[in-house]
Amino acid sequence: MAVANLTYQPQFQLLGLMDGADAHPLLFLLFLSVYLLNALGNLSMVVLVRSDGALCSPMYYFLGHLSLVDVCFTTVTVPRLLTTLLHPVQAVSFQACFAQMYFFVALGITESYLLAAMSYDRAVAVCRPLHYGAVMTPWRCLALVAASWAVAHLHSLLHTLLISALSYPRSAPVRHFFCDMTVMLSLATSDTSVAETAIFSEGLAVVLTPLLLVSLSYTRILLAVLGVRTTGGRRRAFSTCGAHLVVVSLFFGSVLSVYFRPSSAYSARYDRLASVVYAVVTPTLNPFIYSLRNKEVKGALKRGFRWKAAPQDK
């Protein structure tokens, strides 16, 4: 930590999603509803994947981990967002601010690599169906998930240490609903060139790698689908892949637009809106787009409801 941060403990004033000191009860109800929907959808997927034997394929293994990451990802930021909507300008300590940053970045990067693993799984299933079991072995699936978590936490640790080592004023307003990297860089009073270089080099590589893998996987899927002769088969494949690509595009597009530009181009209003897309909207959409449209998941839900209702019928 910088010497200036050792002589006094900076404290940050979290201003929230909206400017001004007015409460926003309608927005509070909206984001509370979205958060509860997120928790319901993602936790339901975690429980289904863990409890239903029919959902034992690699695709559902990745979905279970993605759902767990999504509910944790939103929990890092949304409760504080809800608080600032009712009581703007929340004081946040130095430790709490950078702890939130660490987990937010780690979970966000984990999600991006899990999305890449899921796209790879779908590409193998579509392009090499006869070799699917030999390629997507349990050990390979475990390795992909473990690598996602490991890379994400090492990346987050590096950037959290670099940014927390900068000097900050004794009390600084944070024009955001959480302690984001770009916001903290704009508040720093010391030289940020090292941290910005790390973001634009190592950070860009870490974020672009899963995006490249997703692009390559869906390109292979597209080429394979174009080779399908039946119109119905093409329509079903394009419908599923199209929905997946919308979520992936929203997530990666908003992330790239926020983090990979110089701090001189920082815009508080744009960053807050873009952050809502990848931190709240996409984690809420994921379980419904990836899972609840699936016949096997619907079947598992019906079996779960029948199992709960069975004791009452006796």
Side-chain angles (χ1 to χ4, degrees), residues 65-86:
H65 282 274
L66 180 68
S67 296
L68 179 62
V69 169
D70 279 338
V71 74
C72 294
F73 190 39
T74 52
T75 300
V76 170
T77 58
V78 174
R80 182 76 71 174
L81 166 62
L82 294 174
T83 302
T84 57
L85 287 173
L86 292 181

Side-chain angles (χ1 to χ4, degrees), residues 17-312:
L17 182 63
M18 308 297 292
D19 291 322
D22 297 329
H24 300 275
L26 293 180
L27 282 177
F28 172 84
L29 292 175
L30 173 63
F31 280 99
L32 177 62
S33 301
V34 171
Y35 180 61
L36 293 176
L37 183 65
N38 176 296
L40 176 64
N42 284 300
L43 291 178
S44 296
M45 273 307 306
V46 173
V47 172
L48 281 177
V49 171
R50 296 283 296 177
S51 61
D52 196 292
L55 304 180
C56 58
S57 68
M59 177 177 69
Y60 297 112
Y61 177 74
F62 293 130
L63 277 173
H65 282 274
L66 180 68
S67 296
L68 179 62
V69 169
D70 279 338
V71 74
C72 294
F73 190 39
T74 52
T75 300
V76 170
T77 58
V78 174
R80 182 76 71 174
L81 166 62
L82 294 174
T83 302
T84 57
L85 287 173
L86 292 181
H87 305 285
V89 190
Q90 294 285 315
V92 182
S93 68
F94 184 88
Q95 293 86 348
C97 187
F98 283 98
Q100 184 187 51
M101 179 195 294
Y102 173 83
F103 287 108
F104 179 81
V105 174
L107 291 167
I109 296 298
T110 303
E111 172 154 353
S112 67
Y113 276 87
L114 287 175
L115 289 173
M118 291 169 62
S119 66
Y120 172 71
D121 171 75
R122 290 299 83 204
V124 174
V126 172
C127 302
R128 302 180 63 189
L130 298 180
H131 301 89
Y132 180 75
V135 174
M136 300 305 296
T137 62
W139 281 109
R140 178 164 294 179
C141 294
L142 177 61
L144 288 172
V145 170
S148 300
W149 284 95
V151 169
H153 280 272
L154 289 173
H155 166 83
S156 181
L157 180 62
L158 170 65
H159 290 282
T160 302
L161 290 176
L162 286 174
I163 298 175
S164 64
L166 301 173
S167 297
Y168 294 94
R170 188 179 299 273
S171 179
V174 178
R175 296 186 64 192
H176 214 304
F177 59 89
F178 66 96
C179 294
D180 196 23
M181 288 195 302
T182 55
V183 185
M184 305 314 294
L185 281 173
S186 69
L187 293 175
T189 57
S190 55
D191 182 26
T192 62
S193 58
V194 175
E196 288 192 3
T197 301
I199 290 175
F200 279 96
S201 56
E202 186 271 347
L204 189 61
V206 167
V207 173
L208 286 184
T209 297
L211 179 59
L212 178 62
L213 293 175
V214 169
S215 301
L216 290 174
S217 297
Y218 280 111
T219 299
R220 291 197 63 186
I221 291 174
L222 178 63
L223 293 175
V225 169
L226 291 176
V228 176
R229 296 182 179 181
T230 61
T231 305
R234 286 187 180 182
R235 187 181 297 113
R236 286 193 298 271
F238 278 127
S239 175
T240 302
C241 292
H244 293 187
L245 285 173
V246 167
V247 174
V248 169
S249 300
L250 282 173
F251 180 82
F252 283 104
S254 55
V255 168
L256 290 172
S257 68
V258 169
Y259 292 107
F260 298 102
R261 67 176 191 273
S263 58
S264 58
Y266 170 71
S267 170
R269 184 183 297 274
Y270 175 81
D271 279 18
R272 283 180 288 188
L273 292 176
S275 297
V276 168
V277 174
Y278 68 81
V280 181
V281 176
T282 53
T284 303
L285 292 177
N286 280 341
F288 300 99
I289 288 183
Y290 281 101
S291 311
L292 299 183
R293 299 176 63 198
N294 188 293
K295 291 182 180 180
E296 292 179 342
V297 174
K298 291 180 180 178
L301 282 171
K302 291 178 181 178
R303 288 191 294 273
F305 287 133
R306 282 200 299 266
W307 179 81
K308 289 183 178 180
Q312 300 176 2

